Amino acid sequence: TNSLDRKMSVKITILKNGQHLISDMKELVAENQDDIQAYMLQNPHTYEINENRFLTEEEKKDGDFGINVTLVPWLVLSKDKKMIIPTDSVLTVVEPLDAVTKLYLDKCEAFSMKEELNG
């Protein structure tokens, strides 16, 4: 498995303004409190879903519905990799499909390797 898998909790966050973000998410809680105060999203990306392609019977059986997804950094002009989102801005948080999680992790891994080369 991917070395990033253990450390990351990849989630799709749907904001009340209608934006959908995929990121490594952590819940932020205040000391001595159980309530989530905010979410920290690391490397948040928006996504675009492109038209489905033709499917083979095998893909249908495996639950791969041919969703073609493009990931785009959320705040492309920011150097920040971690963003704090207040809980009252969030509509819901859901688990992405496995294929989408893999796509996100692969992109993060490729990006971190690129940064190391440039750094």
Side-chain angles (χ1 to χ4, degrees):
T1 53
N2 190 318
S3 60
L4 292 170
D5 287 344
R6 286 186 296 285
K7 292 180 266 178
M8 297 183 85
S9 177
V10 178
K11 303 286 184 195
I12 291 176
T13 306
I14 300 174
L15 302 181
K16 287 181 179 171
N17 69 6
Q19 284 189 298
H20 292 209
L21 304 174
I22 183 168
S23 69
D24 176 19
M25 172 190 268
K26 291 183 176 54
E27 297 172 342
L28 303 180
V29 292
E31 266 187 83
N32 307 324
Q33 289 188 14
D34 292 335
D35 290 348
I36 299 166
Q37 305 297 305
Y39 297 103
M40 186 177 69
L41 307 185
Q42 189 161 346
N43 290 322
H45 281 60
T46 57
Y47 53 87
E48 293 168 9
I49 299 173
N50 308 309
E51 280 183 39
N52 287 5
R53 55 184 170 69
F54 290 105
L55 294 182
T56 64
E57 286 303 315
E58 188 73 16
E59 288 170 321
K60 281 184 191 163
K61 194 177 72 191
D62 293 344
D64 176 354
F65 299 108
I67 299 170
N68 185 353
V69 177
T70 305
L71 297 177
V72 182
W74 180 36
L75 299 174
V76 77
L77 298 181
S78 174
K79 282 199 277 188
D80 294 339
K81 295 290 173 237
K82 296 177 180 178
M83 288 131 197
I84 306 293
I85 306 289
T87 53
D88 61 4
S89 299
V90 174
L91 185 62
T92 191
V93 176
V94 296
E95 292 284 334
L97 295 169
D98 290 346
V100 177
T101 299
K102 183 178 182 333
L103 183 71
Y104 175 78
L105 291 173
D106 288 348
K107 180 165 185 180
C108 287
E109 193 171 35
F111 190 74
S112 66
M113 281 193 275
K114 192 169 73 176
E115 280 189 330
E116 282 169 25
L117 290 173
N118 294 340

